[in-house]
């Protein structure tokens, strides 16, 4: 798994989630989102050509944990976001459980389907220029952002010709 794949997943994760207001209902969703983030972007495993490989940044930056995650000293479970979201995680020792996606595309598809089941009364847009998440909590803001995005795409298209 290359770093590009991990970056792609991080961007998809941020753009897909569309949460973050502060209320008790969303606090639970935010916590579940964080746990999925922990077990994927930070400690994700994925099969590639039948072999389990690491793509999580936490694994790629910690040689000891990487060896542990790829060993038989821990449990590998199939990646399913709904069950992953409620799994307690360990931040002081190596993880006892890691989630393995069948493929990188399978992980993204399952994640997107899981997120699509959540109720979100607003939209969030990842702005690649500022590298920030913008919360659009009104219809007018959403319309303005959509028009701005269309204009950016047209400008980019015109710059290529």
């Amino acid at each position: 798994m290359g770093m590009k794949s991990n970056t792609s997943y991080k961007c998809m994760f941020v753009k897909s989630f569309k949460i973050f207001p502060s209320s008790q209902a969303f606090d639970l969703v935010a916590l579940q989102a964080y746990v999925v983030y922990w077990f994927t972007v930070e400690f994700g495993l994925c099969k590639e050509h039948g072999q389990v490989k690491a793509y999580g940044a936490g694994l790629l930056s910690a040689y000891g944990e990487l060896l542990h995650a790829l060993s038989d000293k821990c449990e590998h479970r199939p990646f399913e976001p709904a069950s992953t979201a409620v799994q307690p995680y360990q931040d002081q020792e190596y993880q006892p459980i890691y989630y393995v996606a069948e493929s990188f595309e399978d992980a993204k598809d399952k994640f997107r389907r899981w997120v699509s089941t959540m109720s979100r009364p607003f939209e969030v847009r990842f702005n690649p220029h500022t590298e920030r998440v913008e919360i659009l909590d009104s219809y007018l803001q959403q319309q303005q952002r959509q028009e701005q995005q269309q204009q950016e795409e047209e400008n980019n298209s015109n710059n290529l010709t």
Side-chain angles (χ1 to χ4, degrees):
M1 294 287 135
M3 187 54 80
K4 183 177 181 193
S5 296
N6 192 15
T7 302
S8 168
Y9 189 85
K10 284 181 185 178
C11 290
M12 187 270 311
F13 188 97
V14 170
K15 289 192 285 188
S16 295
F17 231 92
K18 303 177 184 179
I19 60 170
F20 304 114
S22 59
S23 74
Q24 282 189 324
F26 285 107
D27 286 348
L28 177 59
V29 174
L31 175 60
Q32 290 178 341
Y34 180 76
V35 172
V36 171
Y37 180 92
W38 182 268
F39 281 112
T40 57
V41 175
E42 292 298 329
F43 294 94
L45 297 174
C46 183
K47 291 182 183 176
E48 184 177 70
H49 305 295
Q51 285 189 299
V52 175
K53 300 209 174 179
Y55 69 89
L59 290 174
L60 297 174
S61 65
Y63 185 70
E65 181 133 17
L66 177 61
L67 292 177
H68 173 76
L70 297 174
S71 76
D72 60 357
K73 296 177 183 173
C74 58
E75 182 181 349
H76 288 171
R77 293 182 183 173
F79 175 65
E80 292 295 337
S83 59
T84 304
V86 296
Q87 175 63 45
Y89 64 89
Q90 176 56 254
D91 64 356
Q92 300 298 312
E93 298 174 9
Y94 295 155
Q95 300 299 314
I97 298 168
Y98 296 89
Y99 289 90
V100 182
E102 287 301 312
S103 70
F104 204 69
E105 286 304 312
D106 182 58
K108 292 194 301 189
D109 290 343
K110 286 179 178 180
F111 177 78
R112 286 183 182 121
R113 281 195 305 271
W114 179 62
V115 169
S116 72
T117 65
M118 296 176 180
S119 174
R120 298 174 308 266
F122 56 89
E123 288 290 320
V124 173
R125 178 179 183 263
F126 178 74
N127 185 329
H129 303 294
T130 63
E131 295 185 358
R132 293 178 177 245
V133 175
E134 301 168 348
I135 297 173
L136 308 174
D137 59 0
S138 73
Y139 179 75
L140 180 59
Q141 283 179 317
Q142 291 175 23
Q143 284 296 110
Q144 289 170 341
R145 185 55 68 198
Q146 185 176 22
E147 291 169 9
Q148 181 183 6
Q149 188 173 5
Q150 287 172 344
Q151 185 63 43
E152 288 173 5
E153 289 172 3
E154 287 176 20
N155 291 343
N156 289 339
S157 177
N158 290 338
N159 289 339
L160 294 175
T161 57

